[in-house]
Amino acid sequence: MKTGKVFLVGAGPGDVGLITVKGLDAVKQAEVILYDRLANPKLLEYADSDCELIYCGKLPDRHTLRQENINGLLVQKALEGKLVVRLKGGDPGIFGRVGEEAAALAEFQIPFEIVPGISSGIAAPLYTGIPVTHREHAESFAVVTAHDKSQNGKPLLDWEGLARGVDTIAFYMGVGNLPFICENLIRYGKPSSTPVILIHWGTFGRQRTLQGTLADISEKVLQSKFSNPSIILVGDVISLREKISWFEKKPLYGRQILLARTSASPSVLAKELQAQGADVIEFPKWKVTKIPLDLTRVAAYEKILFTSPESAAEFFEALLEAEIDIRRIHAEFYGLSSKTIKALRERGVIGKLAQQIEDSENMLVIGENHLLQKNYQKAEMMVTSEKELDRQFLPIFQRMLKEAKINTMIFPSSASVEPFLTTLEDCQMNAAELLHQVQVIAMGELTQAAAIKAGLAETEKPVTPTKEALVDYMVKHPLQGVQE
C-alpha cells in the first residue's frame, strides 16, 4: 500500500479568514483531519463530506487525546495511504508541539509538510489595536510559555533577560500563573506601572479584554473571573490601543449569533455578519448527495420552477453533462425565492418569482422539497439531490455551543425553523434553555410566524428580509438583558 502524506497546519488564531491559502487547500483535500480545541471548528466545513474528523482537544485539566496517541494516529492514518491534516490553533511551531509530531512521522519515513499559521500572540493584540512592535515604544518582542513541565507548572524562565531586555512580551495560556509572572517581572526590573492586557478568545467576535498594570492586573483578573484561552501582553506599546483600536468598533462586535441553516452551500448572510464583527455559528450542517437526472422530456414543459439556488445549479450542471443546449428549452423559468432568481440570472436566464405562476399545468418543479407537490399538484417533480444531516458535526456543535455565549438567534427562512429545533434535540439540547434571554430575529413575516408557532413568542424581525436591513436592525436594537 502506498504511504500517505501528512500536513501539519497552523489554523491561525480563530478568525477563519486568517488561515493561510496553503493551509486551507490542505483542509479541502484531506481524508482525515485531527484538530485541536483552539482551531476554529468552522474550518472543518471546508473539508470533504467523507473526511474523517478526529478531535484532539486539550484542556488544562484533561486531555481528550494524549500527545503520544496523537503521534500514533498520524502515523497510522498515513500508513493507511491517507492524506492527513493535523490542524492546530495559531502557528504549529509556537508551543504547538509540531516538532514531536514531525519527528514521529520522520521515524516512519512518512512524507510531511509543515504549514505555518498566524500566531495568536501577534494577531490577538492587533485585533485589539496593539502592534507588538513600534519604533517609539517597542523594538523587541518575545513569545513565552507561561505553563511548562517545571515543578508546580511555574515557568522556569530568564526573568532578568525578559524584564530588562524585551520591550513587549506575550505569555501564552498563563492566566493561572499571572501573579507569579507579574511578581517576577517586577522583581527583575520591570516597573510595576508597566501596562498589561489580557485578550480572551482573540480575533473572535467573543473577544474580551482586561487591562491593567503589573501591580494590579492579578487582582482585576480575580474580580472579573478572566480565564484561558487568553494571551497576556506586557509592554508600553499597549498605550497605542486607544488610538488604533478597530475590531471592537465594528457594528456587530460582541454579537454571538446562532444562524439556522437549511443549505449545504456557504452562507452569504453568515459572511456578511462576520464581516461586521459578529461570531456566527451556522447550525445544523447538511451534506448533499446528487441524483442522476433524466432530462429526456425537459424541453416539453411550459414552466420550470426551481426550489432553491442549489437546485438551479445542479440542473444546469446536469444539462452540460448531458450535452443539452439550453436553447432547446422554451419554458418560462421561475424561482421560489429572490436568491434562486439571482442564481438563474448568473446563468444568463431571467426568471420570475413563483407567486406569478397562475397554474401548474405542464410544469416541472426542480429541487429537493417533495412537499411542493401539495401546492402544485398538477406539476411533475424532479429531485436533483438528497440532503441529509451531517451527523459527524453534532458533537462539534455541542462543544461550540457550550464554549460560546449565544446572544442572538437568526432564522433566515420559515423552512429553517423546524430542522433547527429537531436537530437541537439530536444534540441533546433544549431550545427553551439555549434561547433563554436571547434576541431571536426572523427574516420576514412568514419566518416570524413559523418561529412563534414553534414556541418562540418574542421573535423580532427587520423591516425587510435582507442582510443589510438585518444588520441595521441589530445596530438599532442592541442587546438588552442579554449575556454578552
Side-chain angles (χ1 to χ4, degrees):
M1 180 185 293
K2 183 182 176 182
T3 301
K5 184 173 181 177
V6 177
F7 287 85
L8 305 164
V9 177
D15 182 337
V16 292
L18 296 181
I19 191 172
T20 63
V21 173
K22 187 170 185 178
L24 191 58
D25 282 345
V27 169
K28 290 177 179 178
Q29 296 174 50
E31 296 172 276
V32 182
I33 299 177
L34 286 78
Y35 64 100
D36 279 348
R37 177 192 175 214
L38 296 183
N40 192 328
K42 287 179 72 66
L43 290 170
L44 301 175
E45 297 190 13
Y46 290 94
D48 189 86
S49 59
D50 295 325
C51 180
E52 180 183 3
L53 307 177
I54 302 173
Y55 182 54
C56 306
K58 298 176 183 179
L59 290 167
D61 58 342
R62 63 186 181 276
H63 294 261
T64 300
L65 281 178
R66 301 198 68 83
Q67 189 61 50
E68 55 269 26
N69 300 122
I70 295 171
N71 296 350
L73 269 173
L74 289 172
V75 170
Q76 175 193 327
K77 296 297 182 180
L79 290 177
E80 291 173 2
K82 303 287 181 61
L83 195 155
V84 184
V85 166
R86 175 75 172 101
L87 194 62
K88 308 165 80 70
D91 179 272
I94 299 180
F95 312 128
R97 304 182 77 168
V98 74
E100 298 170 47
E101 294 171 356
L105 296 168
E107 184 180 343
F108 286 85
Q109 297 183 320
I110 294 169
F112 64 87
E113 291 188 29
I114 301 175
V115 183
I118 297 175
S119 176
S120 55
I122 296 171
L126 281 174
Y127 268 55
T128 65
I130 305 168
V132 294
T133 64
H134 189 279
R135 286 193 301 171
E136 296 177 12
H137 300 277
E139 295 183 343
S140 56
F141 169 61
V143 294
V144 181
T145 178
H147 191 89
D148 59 21
K149 290 184 175 181
S150 58
Q151 188 176 7
N152 299 321
K154 306 294 185 187
L156 296 173
L157 303 170
D158 177 5
W159 290 106
E160 185 172 3
L162 284 173
R164 296 183 182 277
V166 181
D167 296 320
T168 308
I169 313 169
F171 291 93
Y172 286 58
M173 304 299 284
V175 175
N177 283 331
L178 185 58
F180 179 78
I181 291 167
C182 295
E183 175 188 331
N184 278 279
L185 288 176
I186 293 170
R187 178 184 299 169
Y188 286 95
K190 279 280 186 200
S192 60
S193 59
T194 302
V196 181
I197 190 168
L198 274 72
I199 309 165
H200 182 60
W201 287 115
T203 78
F204 282 88
R206 74 188 83 156
Q207 173 179 298
R208 287 196 303 135
T209 58
L210 183 66
Q211 194 166 336
T213 65
L214 287 175
D216 63 16
I217 193 65
S218 295
E219 183 60 32
K220 287 184 175 183
V221 165
L222 283 175
Q223 292 174 357
S224 63
K225 297 180 180 178
F226 225 78
S227 63
N228 284 319
S230 294
I231 289 292
I232 301 167
L233 199 71
V234 180
D236 291 332
V237 74
I238 292 169
S239 62
L240 294 172
R241 183 178 179 230
E242 290 184 11
K243 289 183 181 179
I244 60 175
S245 175
W246 62 276
F247 182 60
E248 294 166 6
K249 293 178 180 177
K250 288 198 169 192
L252 298 185
Y253 170 74
R255 289 274 185 175
Q256 295 187 53
I257 297 172
L258 185 56
L259 176 63
R261 175 163 56 182
T262 57
S263 171
S265 58
S267 168
V268 175
L269 177 58
K271 188 175 181 179
E272 177 64 23
L273 296 172
Q274 289 164 349
Q276 299 298 330
D279 265 350
V280 183
I281 298 176
E282 297 177 75
F283 177 86
K285 170 78 164 56
W286 304 96
K287 59 181 181 180
V288 171
T289 304
K290 291 184 181 179
I291 296 174
L293 303 183
D294 180 4
L295 300 173
T296 53
R297 293 190 60 250
V298 71
Y301 296 99
E302 294 178 2
K303 296 179 283 289
I304 298 178
L305 168 64
F306 296 93
T307 66
S308 66
E310 292 80 12
S311 65
E314 289 159 358
F315 173 75
F316 279 88
E317 286 172 15
L319 282 182
L320 287 174
E321 289 172 7
E323 297 187 347
I324 296 175
D325 193 320
I326 186 67
R327 289 172 294 184
R328 286 178 52 193
I329 302 174
H330 301 291
E332 291 275 4
F333 281 49
Y334 296 87
L336 203 61
S337 67
S338 56
K339 286 176 66 176
T340 307
I341 298 298
K342 183 180 177 183
L344 290 172
R345 291 183 72 93
E346 289 171 353
R347 288 161 178 80
V349 175
I350 306 299
K352 303 175 182 178
L353 284 170
Q355 291 91 317
Q356 298 181 48
I357 297 174
E358 296 180 359
D359 63 74
S360 55
E361 201 74 53
N362 200 17
M363 184 170 90
L364 177 65
V365 178
I366 298 179
E368 65 288 334
N369 192 343
H370 294 273
L371 296 177
L372 282 174
Q373 288 180 314
K374 294 180 180 178
N375 298 324
Y376 306 103
Q377 294 182 2
K378 295 180 182 179
E380 293 185 39
M381 188 80 193
M382 180 181 287
V383 179
T384 57
S385 60
E386 288 182 347
K387 184 175 71 175
E388 60 179 316
L389 187 66
D390 193 338
R391 293 191 169 274
Q392 189 174 203
F393 274 78
L394 294 184
I396 296 172
F397 283 124
Q398 285 177 317
R399 286 191 295 272
M400 292 174 75
L401 292 172
K402 285 176 182 176
E403 287 193 334
K405 292 183 179 178
I406 299 299
N407 52 37
T408 309
M409 173 77 226
I410 296 174
F411 291 105
S413 66
S414 57
S416 68
V417 178
E418 186 179 347
F420 170 83
L421 296 173
T422 303
T423 312
L424 264 190
E425 293 177 4
D426 288 343
C427 282
Q428 299 178 334
M429 290 190 174
N430 182 280
E433 292 177 7
L434 180 66
L435 301 181
H436 179 61
Q437 289 191 322
V438 167
Q439 186 178 27
V440 180
I441 304 174
M443 298 284 281
E445 291 183 9
L446 291 176
T447 309
Q448 184 183 42
I452 292 172
K453 185 178 179 181
L456 304 173
E458 302 299 320
T459 302
E460 306 167 23
K461 70 176 182 67
V463 177
T464 57
T466 64
K467 59 181 184 291
E468 294 81 10
L470 175 65
V471 171
D472 184 62
Y473 181 86
M474 285 191 282
V475 170
K476 291 180 178 176
H477 296 80
L479 299 166
Q480 295 179 351
V482 178
Q483 286 186 336
E484 291 193 52

